[in-house]
PDB file of all heavy atoms in Angstrom:
ATOM      1  N   GLU Y  82      71.102  25.538 -71.052  1.00 95.00           N
ATOM      2  CA  GLU Y  82      70.318  26.505 -71.824  1.00 95.00           C
ATOM      3  C   GLU Y  82      70.563  27.902 -71.344  1.00 95.00           C
ATOM      4  O   GLU Y  82      70.881  28.079 -70.173  1.00 95.00           O
ATOM      5  CB  GLU Y  82      68.827  26.233 -71.707  1.00 95.00           C
ATOM      6  CG  GLU Y  82      68.348  24.980 -72.390  1.00 95.00           C
ATOM      7  CD  GLU Y  82      66.799  24.854 -72.335  1.00 95.00           C
ATOM      8  OE1 GLU Y  82      66.106  25.897 -72.129  1.00 95.00           O
ATOM      9  OE2 GLU Y  82      66.281  23.728 -72.427  1.00 95.00           O
ATOM     10  N   GLY Y  83      70.385  28.853 -72.235  1.00 96.00           N
ATOM     11  CA  GLY Y  83      70.350  30.265 -71.824  1.00 96.00           C
ATOM     12  C   GLY Y  83      69.051  30.872 -72.306  1.00 96.00           C
ATOM     13  O   GLY Y  83      68.255  30.213 -72.969  1.00 96.00           O
ATOM     14  N   CYS Y  84      68.865  32.131 -71.950  1.00 98.00           N
ATOM     15  CA  CYS Y  84      67.649  32.819 -72.401  1.00 98.00           C
ATOM     16  C   CYS Y  84      67.923  34.295 -72.546  1.00 98.00           C
ATOM     17  O   CYS Y  84      68.605  34.918 -71.671  1.00 98.00           O
ATOM     18  CB  CYS Y  84      66.539  32.635 -71.310  1.00 98.00           C
ATOM     19  SG  CYS Y  84      64.972  33.459 -71.754  1.00 98.00           S
ATOM     20  N   LEU Y  85      67.484  34.863 -73.642  1.00 98.00           N
ATOM     21  CA  LEU Y  85      67.736  36.265 -73.928  1.00 98.00           C
ATOM     22  C   LEU Y  85      67.016  37.156 -72.913  1.00 98.00           C
ATOM     23  O   LEU Y  85      67.390  38.316 -72.742  1.00 98.00           O
ATOM     24  CB  LEU Y  85      67.253  36.633 -75.337  1.00 98.00           C
ATOM     25  CG  LEU Y  85      67.948  35.830 -76.451  1.00 98.00           C
ATOM     26  CD1 LEU Y  85      67.344  36.221 -77.789  1.00 98.00           C
ATOM     27  CD2 LEU Y  85      69.423  36.054 -76.472  1.00 98.00           C
ATOM     28  N   SER Y  86      66.102  36.618 -72.163  1.00 98.00           N
ATOM     29  CA  SER Y  86      65.385  37.414 -71.126  1.00 98.00           C
ATOM     30  C   SER Y  86      65.879  37.124 -69.719  1.00 98.00           C
ATOM     31  O   SER Y  86      65.318  37.619 -68.724  1.00 98.00           O
ATOM     32  CB  SER Y  86      63.854  37.116 -71.186  1.00 98.00           C
ATOM     33  OG  SER Y  86      63.287  37.688 -72.348  1.00 98.00           O
ATOM     34  N   PHE Y  87      66.937  36.333 -69.613  1.00 97.00           N
ATOM     35  CA  PHE Y  87      67.624  36.131 -68.361  1.00 97.00           C
ATOM     36  C   PHE Y  87      69.104  36.189 -68.695  1.00 97.00           C
ATOM     37  O   PHE Y  87      69.878  35.242 -68.623  1.00 97.00           O
ATOM     38  CB  PHE Y  87      67.279  34.756 -67.755  1.00 97.00           C
ATOM     39  CG  PHE Y  87      67.821  34.529 -66.345  1.00 97.00           C
ATOM     40  CD1 PHE Y  87      67.862  35.590 -65.444  1.00 97.00           C
ATOM     41  CD2 PHE Y  87      68.247  33.294 -65.973  1.00 97.00           C
ATOM     42  CE1 PHE Y  87      68.389  35.313 -64.170  1.00 97.00           C
ATOM     43  CE2 PHE Y  87      68.752  33.053 -64.687  1.00 97.00           C
ATOM     44  CZ  PHE Y  87      68.808  34.097 -63.782  1.00 97.00           C
ATOM     45  N   ASP Y  88      69.472  37.421 -69.152  1.00 95.00           N
ATOM     46  CA  ASP Y  88      70.766  37.623 -69.797  1.00 95.00           C
ATOM     47  C   ASP Y  88      71.931  37.337 -68.811  1.00 95.00           C
ATOM     48  O   ASP Y  88      71.881  37.750 -67.652  1.00 95.00           O
ATOM     49  CB  ASP Y  88      70.866  39.049 -70.295  1.00 95.00           C
ATOM     50  CG  ASP Y  88      71.990  39.310 -71.237  1.00 95.00           C
ATOM     51  OD1 ASP Y  88      72.340  38.366 -71.995  1.00 95.00           O
ATOM     52  OD2 ASP Y  88      72.500  40.408 -71.305  1.00 95.00           O
ATOM     53  N   GLY Y  89      72.950  36.601 -69.314  1.00 95.00           N
ATOM     54  CA  GLY Y  89      74.161  36.406 -68.548  1.00 95.00           C
ATOM     55  C   GLY Y  89      74.233  35.138 -67.760  1.00 95.00           C
ATOM     56  O   GLY Y  89      75.240  34.880 -67.102  1.00 95.00           O
ATOM     57  N   PHE Y  90      73.236  34.238 -67.899  1.00 95.00           N
ATOM     58  CA  PHE Y  90      73.234  32.995 -67.157  1.00 95.00           C
ATOM     59  C   PHE Y  90      72.869  31.814 -68.014  1.00 95.00           C
ATOM     60  O   PHE Y  90      72.194  31.984 -69.044  1.00 95.00           O
ATOM     61  CB  PHE Y  90      72.307  33.074 -65.944  1.00 95.00           C
ATOM     62  CG  PHE Y  90      72.768  33.917 -64.820  1.00 95.00           C
ATOM     63  CD1 PHE Y  90      72.482  35.263 -64.839  1.00 95.00           C
ATOM     64  CD2 PHE Y  90      73.543  33.401 -63.800  1.00 95.00           C
ATOM     65  CE1 PHE Y  90      72.932  36.095 -63.832  1.00 95.00           C
ATOM     66  CE2 PHE Y  90      73.999  34.220 -62.762  1.00 95.00           C
ATOM     67  CZ  PHE Y  90      73.667  35.589 -62.809  1.00 95.00           C
ATOM     68  N   GLN Y  91      73.315  30.650 -67.644  1.00 93.00           N
ATOM     69  CA  GLN Y  91      72.876  29.382 -68.267  1.00 93.00           C
ATOM     70  C   GLN Y  91      72.642  28.374 -67.171  1.00 93.00           C
ATOM     71  O   GLN Y  91      73.227  28.417 -66.077  1.00 93.00           O
ATOM     72  CB  GLN Y  91      73.946  28.856 -69.226  1.00 93.00           C
ATOM     73  CG  GLN Y  91      74.151  29.754 -70.460  1.00 93.00           C
ATOM     74  CD  GLN Y  91      75.056  29.075 -71.490  1.00 93.00           C
ATOM     75  OE1 GLN Y  91      75.263  27.876 -71.477  1.00 93.00           O
ATOM     76  NE2 GLN Y  91      75.626  29.889 -72.376  1.00 93.00           N
ATOM     77  N   GLY Y  92      71.753  27.398 -67.455  1.00 94.00           N
ATOM     78  CA  GLY Y  92      71.464  26.368 -66.463  1.00 94.00           C
ATOM     79  C   GLY Y  92      71.078  25.102 -67.214  1.00 94.00           C
ATOM     80  O   GLY Y  92      70.618  25.140 -68.337  1.00 94.00           O
ATOM     81  N   VAL Y  93      71.217  23.959 -66.528  1.00 95.00           N
ATOM     82  CA  VAL Y  93      70.873  22.679 -67.082  1.00 95.00           C
ATOM     83  C   VAL Y  93      69.371  22.405 -66.954  1.00 95.00           C
ATOM     84  O   VAL Y  93      68.834  22.501 -65.920  1.00 95.00           O
ATOM     85  CB  VAL Y  93      71.663  21.521 -66.416  1.00 95.00           C
ATOM     86  CG1 VAL Y  93      71.185  20.159 -66.910  1.00 95.00           C
ATOM     87  CG2 VAL Y  93      73.157  21.698 -66.639  1.00 95.00           C
ATOM     88  N   VAL Y  94      68.793  22.067 -68.110  1.00 98.00           N
ATOM     89  CA  VAL Y  94      67.354  21.783 -68.187  1.00 98.00           C
ATOM     90  C   VAL Y  94      67.208  20.364 -68.818  1.00 98.00           C
ATOM     91  O   VAL Y  94      67.809  20.158 -69.884  1.00 98.00           O
ATOM     92  CB  VAL Y  94      66.542  22.788 -68.967  1.00 98.00           C
ATOM     93  CG1 VAL Y  94      65.070  22.424 -68.974  1.00 98.00           C
ATOM     94  CG2 VAL Y  94      66.753  24.174 -68.419  1.00 98.00           C
ATOM     95  N   THR Y  95      66.447  19.477 -68.208  1.00 97.00           N
ATOM     96  CA  THR Y  95      66.144  18.201 -68.808  1.00 97.00           C
ATOM     97  C   THR Y  95      64.820  18.340 -69.523  1.00 97.00           C
ATOM     98  O   THR Y  95      63.788  18.724 -68.953  1.00 97.00           O
ATOM     99  CB  THR Y  95      66.066  17.121 -67.705  1.00 97.00           C
ATOM    100  OG1 THR Y  95      67.352  17.014 -67.072  1.00 97.00           O
ATOM    101  CG2 THR Y  95      65.687  15.800 -68.321  1.00 97.00           C
ATOM    102  N   ARG Y  96      64.846  17.959 -70.818  1.00 98.00           N
ATOM    103  CA  ARG Y  96      63.634  18.077 -71.618  1.00 98.00           C
ATOM    104  C   ARG Y  96      63.480  16.798 -72.436  1.00 98.00           C
ATOM    105  O   ARG Y  96      64.373  15.992 -72.642  1.00 98.00           O
ATOM    106  CB  ARG Y  96      63.783  19.256 -72.592  1.00 98.00           C
ATOM    107  CG  ARG Y  96      63.834  20.622 -71.951  1.00 98.00           C
ATOM    108  CD  ARG Y  96      63.695  21.702 -73.022  1.00 98.00           C
ATOM    109  NE  ARG Y  96      63.809  23.044 -72.491  1.00 98.00           N
ATOM    110  CZ  ARG Y  96      62.796  23.776 -72.015  1.00 98.00           C
ATOM    111  NH1 ARG Y  96      61.576  23.273 -71.961  1.00 98.00           N
ATOM    112  NH2 ARG Y  96      62.977  24.996 -71.572  1.00 98.00           N
ATOM    113  N   SER Y  97      62.241  16.655 -72.969  1.00 98.00           N
ATOM    114  CA  SER Y  97      61.927  15.531 -73.863  1.00 98.00           C
ATOM    115  C   SER Y  97      62.821  15.699 -75.090  1.00 98.00           C
ATOM    116  O   SER Y  97      62.987  16.800 -75.650  1.00 98.00           O
ATOM    117  CB  SER Y  97      60.487  15.578 -74.260  1.00 98.00           C
ATOM    118  OG  SER Y  97      59.634  15.356 -73.133  1.00 98.00           O
ATOM    119  N   ALA Y  98      63.345  14.567 -75.556  1.00 98.00           N
ATOM    120  CA  ALA Y  98      64.267  14.585 -76.744  1.00 98.00           C
ATOM    121  C   ALA Y  98      63.474  14.436 -78.014  1.00 98.00           C
ATOM    122  O   ALA Y  98      64.009  14.696 -79.095  1.00 98.00           O
ATOM    123  CB  ALA Y  98      65.296  13.513 -76.595  1.00 98.00           C
ATOM    124  N   ASP Y  99      62.191  13.978 -77.972  1.00 98.00           N
ATOM    125  CA  ASP Y  99      61.424  13.765 -79.173  1.00 98.00           C
ATOM    126  C   ASP Y  99      60.037  14.312 -78.871  1.00 98.00           C
ATOM    127  O   ASP Y  99      59.387  13.872 -77.915  1.00 98.00           O
ATOM    128  CB  ASP Y  99      61.346  12.284 -79.512  1.00 98.00           C
ATOM    129  CG  ASP Y  99      62.711  11.636 -79.675  1.00 98.00           C
ATOM    130  OD1 ASP Y  99      63.407  11.984 -80.653  1.00 98.00           O
ATOM    131  OD2 ASP Y  99      63.097  10.813 -78.794  1.00 98.00           O
ATOM    132  N   ILE Y 100      59.590  15.230 -79.673  1.00 98.00           N
ATOM    133  CA  ILE Y 100      58.246  15.815 -79.460  1.00 98.00           C
ATOM    134  C   ILE Y 100      57.489  15.958 -80.814  1.00 98.00           C
ATOM    135  O   ILE Y 100      58.079  15.905 -81.889  1.00 98.00           O
ATOM    136  CB  ILE Y 100      58.345  17.218 -78.854  1.00 98.00           C
ATOM    137  CG1 ILE Y 100      59.012  18.221 -79.805  1.00 98.00           C
ATOM    138  CG2 ILE Y 100      59.042  17.192 -77.513  1.00 98.00           C
ATOM    139  CD1 ILE Y 100      58.874  19.680 -79.381  1.00 98.00           C
ATOM    140  N   THR Y 101      56.204  16.088 -80.701  1.00 98.00           N
ATOM    141  CA  THR Y 101      55.384  16.523 -81.828  1.00 98.00           C
ATOM    142  C   THR Y 101      54.833  17.914 -81.449  1.00 98.00           C
ATOM    143  O   THR Y 101      54.404  18.136 -80.279  1.00 98.00           O
ATOM    144  CB  THR Y 101      54.259  15.534 -82.153  1.00 98.00           C
ATOM    145  OG1 THR Y 101      53.540  16.006 -83.307  1.00 98.00           O
ATOM    146  CG2 THR Y 101      53.275  15.368 -80.991  1.00 98.00           C
ATOM    147  N   ALA Y 102      54.850  18.804 -82.376  1.00 98.00           N
ATOM    148  CA  ALA Y 102      54.388  20.173 -82.119  1.00 98.00           C
ATOM    149  C   ALA Y 102      53.271  20.507 -83.102  1.00 98.00           C
ATOM    150  O   ALA Y 102      53.322  20.107 -84.266  1.00 98.00           O
ATOM    151  CB  ALA Y 102      55.524  21.170 -82.259  1.00 98.00           C
ATOM    152  N   THR Y 103      52.276  21.196 -82.601  1.00 98.00           N
ATOM    153  CA  THR Y 103      51.196  21.713 -83.437  1.00 98.00           C
ATOM    154  C   THR Y 103      51.313  23.219 -83.411  1.00 98.00           C
ATOM    155  O   THR Y 103      51.561  23.796 -82.282  1.00 98.00           O
ATOM    156  CB  THR Y 103      49.823  21.240 -82.992  1.00 98.00           C
ATOM    157  OG1 THR Y 103      49.632  21.628 -81.597  1.00 98.00           O
ATOM    158  CG2 THR Y 103      49.671  19.737 -83.103  1.00 98.00           C
ATOM    159  N   TYR Y 104      51.069  23.884 -84.515  1.00 98.00           N
ATOM    160  CA  TYR Y 104      51.184  25.340 -84.535  1.00 98.00           C
ATOM    161  C   TYR Y 104      50.524  25.814 -85.799  1.00 98.00           C
ATOM    162  O   TYR Y 104      50.197  25.032 -86.722  1.00 98.00           O
ATOM    163  CB  TYR Y 104      52.610  25.810 -84.470  1.00 98.00           C
ATOM    164  CG  TYR Y 104      53.528  25.289 -85.621  1.00 98.00           C
ATOM    165  CD1 TYR Y 104      53.675  25.986 -86.782  1.00 98.00           C
ATOM    166  CD2 TYR Y 104      54.154  24.042 -85.443  1.00 98.00           C
ATOM    167  CE1 TYR Y 104      54.502  25.491 -87.798  1.00 98.00           C
ATOM    168  CE2 TYR Y 104      54.963  23.580 -86.458  1.00 98.00           C
ATOM    169  CZ  TYR Y 104      55.147  24.285 -87.630  1.00 98.00           C
ATOM    170  OH  TYR Y 104      55.925  23.768 -88.658  1.00 98.00           O
ATOM    171  N   GLU Y 105      50.317  27.130 -85.880  1.00 98.00           N
ATOM    172  CA  GLU Y 105      49.804  27.723 -87.110  1.00 98.00           C
ATOM    173  C   GLU Y 105      50.894  28.630 -87.660  1.00 98.00           C
ATOM    174  O   GLU Y 105      51.797  29.093 -86.985  1.00 98.00           O
ATOM    175  CB  GLU Y 105      48.556  28.568 -86.768  1.00 98.00           C
ATOM    176  CG  GLU Y 105      47.452  27.740 -86.233  1.00 98.00           C
ATOM    177  CD  GLU Y 105      46.305  28.587 -85.645  1.00 98.00           C
ATOM    178  OE1 GLU Y 105      46.262  29.839 -85.937  1.00 98.00           O
ATOM    179  OE2 GLU Y 105      45.511  28.118 -84.806  1.00 98.00           O
ATOM    180  N   ASP Y 106      50.798  28.913 -88.975  1.00 98.00           N
ATOM    181  CA  ASP Y 106      51.682  29.873 -89.619  1.00 98.00           C
ATOM    182  C   ASP Y 106      50.987  31.247 -89.653  1.00 98.00           C
ATOM    183  O   ASP Y 106      49.884  31.426 -89.145  1.00 98.00           O
ATOM    184  CB  ASP Y 106      52.141  29.440 -90.969  1.00 98.00           C
ATOM    185  CG  ASP Y 106      50.978  29.219 -91.997  1.00 98.00           C
ATOM    186  OD1 ASP Y 106      49.924  29.843 -91.802  1.00 98.00           O
ATOM    187  OD2 ASP Y 106      51.122  28.355 -92.912  1.00 98.00           O
ATOM    188  N   ARG Y 107      51.673  32.222 -90.250  1.00 98.00           N
ATOM    189  CA  ARG Y 107      51.123  33.565 -90.238  1.00 98.00           C
ATOM    190  C   ARG Y 107      49.802  33.674 -90.997  1.00 98.00           C
ATOM    191  O   ARG Y 107      49.037  34.647 -90.763  1.00 98.00           O
ATOM    192  CB  ARG Y 107      52.149  34.580 -90.729  1.00 98.00           C
ATOM    193  CG  ARG Y 107      52.479  34.427 -92.212  1.00 98.00           C
ATOM    194  CD  ARG Y 107      53.291  35.631 -92.714  1.00 98.00           C
ATOM    195  NE  ARG Y 107      54.657  35.637 -92.275  1.00 98.00           N
ATOM    196  CZ  ARG Y 107      55.498  36.657 -92.525  1.00 98.00           C
ATOM    197  NH1 ARG Y 107      55.080  37.673 -93.278  1.00 98.00           N
ATOM    198  NH2 ARG Y 107      56.722  36.632 -92.116  1.00 98.00           N
ATOM    199  N   ALA Y 108      49.559  32.731 -91.888  1.00 97.00           N
ATOM    200  CA  ALA Y 108      48.326  32.749 -92.663  1.00 97.00           C
ATOM    201  C   ALA Y 108      47.187  31.995 -91.980  1.00 97.00           C
ATOM    202  O   ALA Y 108      46.090  31.935 -92.443  1.00 97.00           O
ATOM    203  CB  ALA Y 108      48.559  32.157 -94.048  1.00 97.00           C
ATOM    204  N   GLY Y 109      47.519  31.385 -90.789  1.00 97.00           N
ATOM    205  CA  GLY Y 109      46.473  30.672 -90.066  1.00 97.00           C
ATOM    206  C   GLY Y 109      46.356  29.211 -90.395  1.00 97.00           C
ATOM    207  O   GLY Y 109      45.489  28.509 -89.926  1.00 97.00           O
ATOM    208  N   GLN Y 110      47.286  28.737 -91.300  1.00 98.00           N
ATOM    209  CA  GLN Y 110      47.294  27.334 -91.659  1.00 98.00           C
ATOM    210  C   GLN Y 110      47.835  26.499 -90.505  1.00 98.00           C
ATOM    211  O   GLN Y 110      48.898  26.846 -89.908  1.00 98.00           O
ATOM    212  CB  GLN Y 110      48.105  27.105 -92.913  1.00 98.00           C
ATOM    213  CG  GLN Y 110      47.542  27.764 -94.131  1.00 98.00           C
ATOM    214  CD  GLN Y 110      46.154  27.186 -94.523  1.00 98.00           C
ATOM    215  OE1 GLN Y 110      45.966  25.988 -94.606  1.00 98.00           O
ATOM    216  NE2 GLN Y 110      45.200  28.101 -94.703  1.00 98.00           N
ATOM    217  N   LYS Y 111      47.202  25.359 -90.193  1.00 98.00           N
ATOM    218  CA  LYS Y 111      47.656  24.506 -89.080  1.00 98.00           C
ATOM    219  C   LYS Y 111      48.704  23.549 -89.562  1.00 98.00           C
ATOM    220  O   LYS Y 111      48.625  23.030 -90.686  1.00 98.00           O
ATOM    221  CB  LYS Y 111      46.446  23.756 -88.518  1.00 98.00           C
ATOM    222  CG  LYS Y 111      45.390  24.682 -87.871  1.00 98.00           C
ATOM    223  CD  LYS Y 111      44.272  23.868 -87.256  1.00 98.00           C
ATOM    224  CE  LYS Y 111      43.176  24.794 -86.701  1.00 98.00           C
ATOM    225  NZ  LYS Y 111      43.684  25.619 -85.596  1.00 98.00           N
ATOM    226  N   HIS Y 112      49.665  23.257 -88.711  1.00 98.00           N
ATOM    227  CA  HIS Y 112      50.784  22.339 -89.011  1.00 98.00           C
ATOM    228  C   HIS Y 112      51.010  21.450 -87.828  1.00 98.00           C
ATOM    229  O   HIS Y 112      50.844  21.790 -86.651  1.00 98.00           O
ATOM    230  CB  HIS Y 112      52.080  23.110 -89.294  1.00 98.00           C
ATOM    231  CG  HIS Y 112      52.001  24.011 -90.438  1.00 98.00           C
ATOM    232  ND1 HIS Y 112      52.360  23.708 -91.739  1.00 98.00           N
ATOM    233  CD2 HIS Y 112      51.557  25.325 -90.493  1.00 98.00           C
ATOM    234  CE1 HIS Y 112      52.216  24.756 -92.540  1.00 98.00           C
ATOM    235  NE2 HIS Y 112      51.695  25.764 -91.840  1.00 98.00           N
ATOM    236  N   THR Y 113      51.453  20.203 -88.118  1.00 98.00           N
ATOM    237  CA  THR Y 113      51.939  19.306 -87.123  1.00 98.00           C
ATOM    238  C   THR Y 113      53.277  18.786 -87.573  1.00 98.00           C
ATOM    239  O   THR Y 113      53.447  18.346 -88.755  1.00 98.00           O
ATOM    240  CB  THR Y 113      50.982  18.096 -86.950  1.00 98.00           C
ATOM    241  OG1 THR Y 113      49.699  18.583 -86.510  1.00 98.00           O
ATOM    242  CG2 THR Y 113      51.527  17.126 -85.863  1.00 98.00           C
ATOM    243  N   ARG Y 114      54.289  18.844 -86.690  1.00 98.00           N
ATOM    244  CA  ARG Y 114      55.679  18.486 -87.128  1.00 98.00           C
ATOM    245  C   ARG Y 114      56.354  17.852 -85.973  1.00 98.00           C
ATOM    246  O   ARG Y 114      56.163  18.268 -84.813  1.00 98.00           O
ATOM    247  CB  ARG Y 114      56.390  19.752 -87.588  1.00 98.00           C
ATOM    248  CG  ARG Y 114      57.815  19.529 -88.035  1.00 98.00           C
ATOM    249  CD  ARG Y 114      58.344  20.826 -88.629  1.00 98.00           C
ATOM    250  NE  ARG Y 114      59.788  20.820 -88.793  1.00 98.00           N
ATOM    251  CZ  ARG Y 114      60.533  21.826 -89.231  1.00 98.00           C
ATOM    252  NH1 ARG Y 114      59.916  22.982 -89.560  1.00 98.00           N
ATOM    253  NH2 ARG Y 114      61.837  21.730 -89.305  1.00 98.00           N
ATOM    254  N   GLU Y 115      57.170  16.845 -86.218  1.00 98.00           N
ATOM    255  CA  GLU Y 115      57.990  16.273 -85.176  1.00 98.00           C
ATOM    256  C   GLU Y 115      59.390  16.861 -85.156  1.00 98.00           C
ATOM    257  O   GLU Y 115      59.955  17.200 -86.155  1.00 98.00           O
ATOM    258  CB  GLU Y 115      58.096  14.713 -85.456  1.00 98.00           C
ATOM    259  CG  GLU Y 115      56.774  14.033 -85.258  1.00 98.00           C
ATOM    260  CD  GLU Y 115      56.869  12.486 -85.438  1.00 98.00           C
ATOM    261  OE1 GLU Y 115      58.006  11.992 -85.614  1.00 98.00           O
ATOM    262  OE2 GLU Y 115      55.865  11.806 -85.332  1.00 98.00           O
ATOM    263  N   PHE Y 116      59.890  17.034 -83.914  1.00 98.00           N
ATOM    264  CA  PHE Y 116      61.242  17.575 -83.729  1.00 98.00           C
ATOM    265  C   PHE Y 116      61.974  16.647 -82.750  1.00 98.00           C
ATOM    266  O   PHE Y 116      61.392  16.122 -81.819  1.00 98.00           O
ATOM    267  CB  PHE Y 116      61.170  18.936 -83.093  1.00 98.00           C
ATOM    268  CG  PHE Y 116      60.475  20.019 -83.979  1.00 98.00           C
ATOM    269  CD1 PHE Y 116      59.123  20.194 -83.892  1.00 98.00           C
ATOM    270  CD2 PHE Y 116      61.251  20.790 -84.842  1.00 98.00           C
ATOM    271  CE1 PHE Y 116      58.535  21.166 -84.652  1.00 98.00           C
ATOM    272  CE2 PHE Y 116      60.623  21.733 -85.654  1.00 98.00           C
ATOM    273  CZ  PHE Y 116      59.280  21.929 -85.568  1.00 98.00           C
ATOM    274  N   SER Y 117      63.320  16.561 -82.973  1.00 98.00           N
ATOM    275  CA  SER Y 117      64.130  15.749 -82.057  1.00 98.00           C
ATOM    276  C   SER Y 117      65.382  16.555 -81.713  1.00 98.00           C
ATOM    277  O   SER Y 117      65.749  17.486 -82.394  1.00 98.00           O
ATOM    278  CB  SER Y 117      64.498  14.430 -82.711  1.00 98.00           C
ATOM    279  OG  SER Y 117      63.370  13.606 -82.863  1.00 98.00           O
ATOM    280  N   GLY Y 118      66.029  16.066 -80.629  1.00 98.00           N
ATOM    281  CA  GLY Y 118      67.314  16.680 -80.283  1.00 98.00           C
ATOM    282  C   GLY Y 118      67.238  18.146 -79.959  1.00 98.00           C
ATOM    283  O   GLY Y 118      66.315  18.613 -79.246  1.00 98.00           O
ATOM    284  N   TRP Y 119      68.219  18.909 -80.436  1.00 98.00           N
ATOM    285  CA  TRP Y 119      68.292  20.307 -80.111  1.00 98.00           C
ATOM    286  C   TRP Y 119      67.102  21.109 -80.680  1.00 98.00           C
ATOM    287  O   TRP Y 119      66.630  22.063 -80.065  1.00 98.00           O
ATOM    288  CB  TRP Y 119      69.592  20.883 -80.641  1.00 98.00           C
ATOM    289  CG  TRP Y 119      70.080  22.101 -79.861  1.00 98.00           C
ATOM    290  CD1 TRP Y 119      70.036  23.393 -80.310  1.00 98.00           C
ATOM    291  CD2 TRP Y 119      70.588  22.095 -78.543  1.00 98.00           C
ATOM    292  NE1 TRP Y 119      70.571  24.195 -79.291  1.00 98.00           N
ATOM    293  CE2 TRP Y 119      70.844  23.474 -78.211  1.00 98.00           C
ATOM    294  CE3 TRP Y 119      70.828  21.122 -77.561  1.00 98.00           C
ATOM    295  CZ2 TRP Y 119      71.382  23.831 -76.987  1.00 98.00           C
ATOM    296  CZ3 TRP Y 119      71.309  21.504 -76.348  1.00 98.00           C
ATOM    297  CH2 TRP Y 119      71.593  22.862 -76.062  1.00 98.00           C
ATOM    298  N   GLN Y 120      66.591  20.696 -81.848  1.00 98.00           N
ATOM    299  CA  GLN Y 120      65.429  21.396 -82.380  1.00 98.00           C
ATOM    300  C   GLN Y 120      64.253  21.262 -81.418  1.00 98.00           C
ATOM    301  O   GLN Y 120      63.490  22.228 -81.245  1.00 98.00           O
ATOM    302  CB  GLN Y 120      65.076  20.828 -83.754  1.00 98.00           C
ATOM    303  CG  GLN Y 120      66.076  21.126 -84.855  1.00 98.00           C
ATOM    304  CD  GLN Y 120      65.592  20.616 -86.211  1.00 98.00           C
ATOM    305  OE1 GLN Y 120      64.551  20.022 -86.332  1.00 98.00           O
ATOM    306  NE2 GLN Y 120      66.381  20.925 -87.213  1.00 98.00           N
ATOM    307  N   ALA Y 121      64.071  20.074 -80.863  1.00 98.00           N
ATOM    308  CA  ALA Y 121      62.937  19.879 -79.882  1.00 98.00           C
ATOM    309  C   ALA Y 121      63.162  20.762 -78.668  1.00 98.00           C
ATOM    310  O   ALA Y 121      62.168  21.364 -78.163  1.00 98.00           O
ATOM    311  CB  ALA Y 121      62.918  18.396 -79.475  1.00 98.00           C
TER     312      ALA Y 121
END
């Protein structure tokens, strides 16, 4: 992975491959969505 706030470097990170995320949109509506792989 890289990061725009740690410019110029990359490092290996082990992460969950399948997640569920909860979040709100700009209107304040709540959402729950599953993500896998690179999206996760």
Side-chain angles (χ1 to χ4, degrees):
E82 288 184 24
C84 180
L85 300 177
S86 290
F87 188 39
D88 195 31
F90 288 87
Q91 294 187 20
V93 173
V94 182
T95 298
R96 294 190 184 272
S97 297
D99 305 290
I100 65 168
T101 183
T103 57
Y104 58 92
E105 298 168 18
D106 59 28
R107 67 169 73 183
Q110 295 296 310
K111 297 183 183 296
H112 300 265
T113 300
R114 179 174 168 183
E115 293 183 1
F116 297 89
S117 293
W119 205 253
Q120 291 186 357

